[in-house]
Amino acid sequence: MLSRTADHLFWMARYMERADNAAQPRCAEGKTPRRASARAGFSA
């Protein structure tokens, strides 16, 4: 059961990383780094 949970966490992290990387080019159009705008309280 522990290995199954670890496997699910691994794949969830992979999918989150892929989604994050896919979102970056769209965020770059606004010329504000996505992470900096998130810290400032702005949402895309």
Side-chain angles (χ1 to χ4, degrees):
M1 184 160 193
L2 182 60
S3 65
R4 190 170 79 179
T5 302
D7 187 57
H8 288 183
L9 288 172
F10 170 79
W11 285 109
M12 183 179 66
R14 285 273 298 175
Y15 291 137
M16 288 174 61
E17 183 178 0
R18 290 180 69 189
D20 187 46
N21 289 338
Q24 285 180 4
R26 282 183 240 136
C27 294
E29 292 174 5
K31 299 186 184 204
T32 301
R34 186 176 51 82
R35 299 207 190 274
S37 62
R39 276 183 260 139
F42 299 110
S43 61

